[in-house]
Structure formats: C-alpha cells, structure tokens
Amino acid sequence: MITITIPEPNVTITKQDAPELSNIYGFTDFHLITREHGGIFMFYNAKDELLFVGKARKLRQRIKKHFEDSVSPMKKHRDEVAKISVCHVSDPVERELYEVYIANRQQAKYNQNRVEY
C-alpha cells in the first residue's frame, strides 16, 4: 500500500470583500504566488469545500488563466472561488499524483475528468 501525504500549502490567498486594486474576481494577492515554481493549486469556496485542483509548471500564470480563459473548467464557477491554496512541488510526476489523489480524496466538485468517487 502506498501512503500519500498531502503537502501543507506554501501560500494561501483569499478573496477580498471590497477589493480596490483587484481585477481578478476579488483576489489582490496574486503577487504572493511564485512565477518560477511548479506545483499544485486548489480552489475552495466560502464553506472551505474543494472546488478544483490543478497542477502547473508555473503556478501564477496557470492560476490566472483559470480566471481569464474561456475553456477553463472553472469558467462558469469563478465567482464561487473564495480561497486559493498553492503547494510547491517540483517533480512533474509528483504533481500528477497529487492532483489525482487530492481530487479523489477531497471529492473536488469540478474535476470530473480526474475523479473516481
């Protein structure tokens, strides 16, 4: 049996109630998410339920694409996202494993193509 431990988030940003400087769905702290590191990211709603988990070689750019892209699985649900957590994971194989494991373990609502529950 393989034991997988979900890593603790390196960065967590939350949606602001009255953001003055935000142009991305209420999030003002994107600068806290690294441009250089790869890893996994998790979108949560206000009830702290996992909406979506993804992986990326460059975290900040990929997360922003989910809020700007017209083909993102999150495009109809962007307003639901209240918190974004990021874990740095350098190995691409580990990123893939974490993405699938977390999506299944926490029953991510919008990762329908990656879940078995």
Side-chain angles (χ1 to χ4, degrees):
M1 174 179 246
I2 298 172
T3 303
I4 298 174
T5 304
I6 299 171
E8 290 294 319
N10 295 90
V11 175
T12 298
I13 61 174
T14 55
K15 184 182 274 190
Q16 304 299 310
D17 290 331
E20 297 173 9
L21 301 175
S22 174
N23 60 354
I24 302 178
Y25 289 84
F27 291 94
T28 58
D29 295 328
F30 271 95
H31 66 280
L32 298 175
I33 300 171
T34 181
R35 290 180 186 200
E36 286 76 37
H37 290 104
I40 55 171
F41 56 90
M42 294 158 282
F43 295 153
Y44 294 92
N45 65 14
K47 297 177 188 174
D48 214 28
E49 299 167 329
L50 183 63
L51 300 174
F52 185 81
V53 60
K55 64 184 179 306
R57 285 184 308 119
K58 304 222 181 235
L59 286 163
R60 188 187 314 175
Q61 293 92 316
R62 185 68 186 114
I63 292 169
K64 281 187 172 183
K65 275 198 173 271
H66 276 288
F67 288 96
E68 299 165 348
D69 203 359
S70 63
V71 295
S72 168
M74 290 298 296
K75 72 180 176 184
K76 296 178 184 175
H77 314 288
R78 293 172 179 148
D79 290 327
E80 284 183 65
V81 180
K83 179 174 85 172
I84 302 170
S85 291
V86 173
C87 303
H88 298 160
V89 180
S90 58
D91 185 272
V93 174
E94 287 182 26
R95 288 194 295 258
E96 182 76 27
L97 289 171
Y98 279 130
E99 179 189 25
V100 173
Y101 180 77
I102 293 168
N104 281 280
R105 185 75 164 169
Q106 296 185 13
Q107 298 185 353
K109 194 172 181 179
Y110 302 121
N111 278 88
Q112 300 304 318
N113 62 336
R114 306 294 287 188
V115 295
E116 301 295 327
Y117 58 85

